[in-house]
Amino acid sequence: MDDTPGDRVTDDSGDVTDRVRQVIGRLGCSHREFARRIVMDPSKLSRSLGGTRRFTLAEIVRIADIGAVDTGWLLGAPARPAPAADRAPAAVPEGGRPLQIVRETVRLIAEHGFHAVRVADIAAACGTSTAAVHYHFPGRDELLEAAVRWCMDEDTERRAAGLAEAPDAHAELLHLIALQTPRTAQQRRQWLVWLDLWAQAARSTAVGRLHEHYYRQWRTTVAEVVRRGVDQGVFRAVDPEFTALRLTALIDGLATQVLATAPDSTGPDTMHTALLAFVTSELTPAD
């Protein structure tokens, strides 16, 4: 889901890029973390800073908001100096209008579905105007992209923390399974947003590209864990990619049943038990 050329900021002299780098330097964070804070694809940020892509106006607005600088100064206006050094940047993730908009969008999509959520609803939840929402995220597709990106970035952080602490690949896989079982309110919200993305992806090529990107990332993570398990001897010799395909499909199907509103729907405990049974029957080496 990329932006049309007309949305992009002219930066022939490189002043805009230089000032964005100054904002990143003031915040003292990595480029990946900065991209997360402004709800932007890290690869787009990298290309924009490298000069092969221009920032969009909406991205510049979000950068100004998170960096607590003037938008005009970012765009190169000589009469708009950078803010005083004692002006603190917006708190992240609690502060900052872009993240507030994204968090409320996630909550509303989870509660009502993307098509039932109006920009006016998001603005009301944020205590601001619809113009302010459009200022940061011009279109509904961009809001959906930002909501999904935020959910997936949060999920990726939790995955990484658990994988780093796991003693072997078997424990890593159990950690991933636990994260994907919708027990908590946050897990259910993320799954409901993901289900809305599926529906949109079936009708929109742009949203479909976003879906494909995240799904490939998720399945690759599972395949890498399975591959490590085979190398460590905690899993039997299987095809990692095909096993990841089967396991992620099983997770998707079971989670969809858990999220169904019927009183006799599959519960999270049943889902978790079924996934552990898959690991035992398909991956655990025979004695």
Side-chain angles (χ1 to χ4, degrees):
M1 184 178 302
D2 215 325
D3 317 282
T4 59
D7 293 330
R8 298 181 186 178
V9 173
T10 301
D11 187 28
D12 295 336
S13 65
D15 288 344
V16 174
T17 301
D18 288 342
R19 295 186 184 193
V20 171
R21 288 198 182 97
Q22 289 180 45
V23 170
I24 297 173
R26 287 182 64 236
L27 290 173
C29 61
S30 68
H31 286 185
R32 176 168 289 277
E33 171 61 17
F34 184 73
R36 187 187 73 82
R37 295 184 185 188
I38 61 172
V39 202
M40 182 179 180
D41 184 337
S43 67
K44 288 184 181 180
L45 175 63
S46 178
R47 285 185 283 129
S48 297
L49 292 175
T52 59
R53 176 187 181 274
R54 290 179 294 170
F55 287 103
T56 68
L57 181 57
E59 290 163 356
I60 290 295
V61 168
R62 298 201 294 270
I63 290 168
D65 187 274
I66 293 298
V69 298
D70 185 86
T71 304
W73 173 78
L74 265 181
L75 292 173
R80 301 289 188 101
D86 61 352
R87 184 182 177 189
V92 177
E94 303 304 330
R97 185 68 78 189
L99 281 175
Q100 181 194 31
I101 291 170
V102 169
R103 287 195 299 267
E104 291 302 321
T105 299
V106 168
R107 182 181 65 81
L108 290 169
I109 290 174
E111 291 178 0
H112 306 291
F114 181 69
H115 284 293
V117 176
R118 304 171 304 161
V119 174
D121 299 324
I122 297 168
C126 294
T128 189
S129 65
T130 57
V133 175
H134 286 305
Y135 192 47
H136 293 286
F137 302 99
R140 285 174 60 85
D141 275 357
E142 189 171 2
L143 267 173
L144 178 61
E145 177 183 5
V148 171
R149 188 175 302 287
W150 185 76
C151 285
M152 295 303 103
D153 285 348
E154 293 286 300
D155 191 45
T156 298
E157 284 192 359
R158 284 192 295 275
R159 282 186 212 160
L163 295 181
E165 296 173 359
D168 58 27
H170 182 270
E172 291 178 11
L173 190 59
L174 296 188
H175 168 69
L176 294 179
I177 286 172
L179 284 181
Q180 295 304 310
T181 304
R183 296 184 185 277
T184 68
Q186 182 179 26
Q187 287 172 321
R188 290 181 67 87
R189 279 195 300 269
Q190 289 186 334
W191 264 108
L192 288 166
V193 172
W194 186 247
L195 292 179
D196 256 33
L197 179 69
W198 280 348
Q200 287 291 102
R203 298 173 176 84
S204 166
T205 301
V207 178
R209 285 196 296 266
L210 177 66
H211 170 272
E212 192 274 337
H213 167 74
Y214 279 113
Y215 211 88
R216 182 176 64 247
Q217 184 184 72
W218 160 234
R219 200 151 57 200
T220 296
T221 297
V222 175
E224 288 173 350
V225 170
V226 173
R227 184 176 291 107
R228 281 196 296 274
V230 172
D231 292 341
Q232 294 169 359
V234 297
F235 294 150
R236 67 181 64 174
V238 296
D239 182 322
E241 283 74 22
F242 186 58
T243 301
L245 172 66
R246 294 170 62 210
L247 179 55
T248 54
L250 181 59
I251 290 171
D252 293 341
L254 288 169
T256 302
Q257 294 179 39
V258 171
L259 294 168
T261 56
D264 57 347
S265 296
T266 301
D269 289 341
T270 301
M271 172 180 175
H272 192 251
T273 300
L275 294 174
L276 295 186
F278 177 93
V279 173
T280 299
S281 64
E282 301 295 325
L283 292 174
T284 303
D287 294 332

